[in-house]
């Protein structure tokens, strides 16, 4: 029982299938137009660029340091607590306050550090930062 296909001779009859080639061409053109119209970036990253007005005012470096003997230093110069308070108060009185950086030594006492932070707060300084903490990432490790 073999299956045999019979061929029907072509006659002059109208084609019953729809020609979809023009339809697909139109859809592809519309798709390309749609892709070109959509904006590539839908968000913006705003970066402040220089406007050519010259450099901004560079504020002085202000570092309060406590060494292992609990002595106070202002930008490398040793000061008493009253001199430090006067220096901090004059810094706080500036129109544009610079950042006062606090960098205690690893072996400085907690009491001296706490008293110095209170001194900085009492002087009226608003811009304050702890620096040098990266040296002490692990507990019990001294700075290098």
């Amino acid at each position: 029982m073999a299956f045999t296909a019979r061929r029907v001779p072509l006659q002059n009859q109208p084609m019953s299938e729809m020609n979809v080639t023009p339809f697909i061409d139109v859809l592809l053109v519309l798709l390309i137009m749609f892709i070109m119209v959509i904006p590539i970036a839908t968000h913006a990253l705003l970066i402040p660029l220089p406007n050519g007005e010259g450099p901004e005012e560079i504020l002085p470096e202000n570092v309060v340091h406590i060494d292992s003997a609990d002595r106070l230093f202002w930008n490398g110069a040793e000061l008493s607590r009253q001199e430090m308070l006067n220096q901090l108060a004059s810094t706080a009185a500036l129109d544009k306050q610079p950042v006062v950086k606090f960098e205690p030594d690893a072996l400085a006492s907690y009491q001296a550090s706490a008293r110095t932070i209170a001194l900085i707060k009492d002087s009226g300084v608003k811009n304050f930062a702890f620096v040098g903490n990266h040296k002490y990432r692990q507990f019990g490790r001294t700075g290098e």
Side-chain angles (χ1 to χ4, degrees), residues 10-22:
L10 291 177
Q11 300 171 1
N12 290 334
Q13 295 178 0
M15 198 167 84
S16 63
E17 295 97 22
M18 184 173 155
N19 187 5
V20 293
T21 304

Side-chain angles (χ1 to χ4, degrees), residues 92-107:
L94 295 174
D95 291 335
K96 191 171 183 181
Q97 283 190 19
V99 176
V100 174
K101 299 175 182 175
F102 179 61
E103 185 176 8
D105 190 72
L107 300 176

Side-chain angles (χ1 to χ4, degrees), residues 14 64 73 112 121 134:
V64 176
F73 291 89
K121 180 183 174 196
H134 64 280

Side-chain angles (χ1 to χ4, degrees), residues 77-135:
E78 185 177 357
L79 298 177
S80 67
R81 287 189 58 76
Q82 185 59 45
E83 292 171 332
M84 180 66 73
L85 180 62
N86 294 341
Q87 189 68 38
L88 290 168
S90 65
T91 301
L94 295 174
D95 291 335
K96 191 171 183 181
Q97 283 190 19
V99 176
V100 174
K101 299 175 182 175
F102 179 61
E103 185 176 8
D105 190 72
L107 300 176
S109 70
Y110 178 79
Q111 180 182 9
S113 298
R115 288 177 51 211
T116 305
I117 291 171
L119 184 73
I120 293 170
K121 180 183 174 196
D122 293 342
S123 69
V125 170
K126 302 281 187 218
N127 298 329
F128 176 72
F130 289 94
V131 295
N133 293 338
H134 64 280
K135 295 186 278 187

Side-chain angles (χ1 to χ4, degrees), residues 9 17 22 33 37-38 41 66 68 78 82 107 124 133 137 144:
E17 295 97 22
M33 290 175 62
V37 171
I38 294 175
I66 302 176
S68 58
E78 185 177 357
Q82 185 59 45
L107 300 176
N133 293 338
R137 289 183 194 263
E144 294 147 11

Side-chain angles (χ1 to χ4, degrees), residues 11-93:
Q11 300 171 1
N12 290 334
Q13 295 178 0
M15 198 167 84
S16 63
E17 295 97 22
M18 184 173 155
N19 187 5
V20 293
T21 304
F23 179 68
I24 293 173
D25 290 344
V26 169
L27 285 179
L28 288 174
V29 168
L30 289 175
L31 180 65
I32 291 171
M33 290 175 62
F34 184 68
I35 289 172
M36 292 175 67
V37 171
I38 294 175
I40 293 173
T42 57
H43 68 281
L45 179 61
L46 301 176
I47 299 173
L49 297 174
N51 55 8
E53 293 179 1
E56 293 183 15
E57 177 186 352
I58 298 174
L59 298 174
E61 181 84 9
N62 297 306
V63 179
V64 176
H65 177 70
I66 302 176
D67 68 354
S68 58
D70 292 340
R71 294 178 297 184
L72 291 174
F73 291 89
W74 174 264
N75 294 335
E78 185 177 357
L79 298 177
S80 67
R81 287 189 58 76
Q82 185 59 45
E83 292 171 332
M84 180 66 73
L85 180 62
N86 294 341
Q87 189 68 38
L88 290 168
S90 65
T91 301

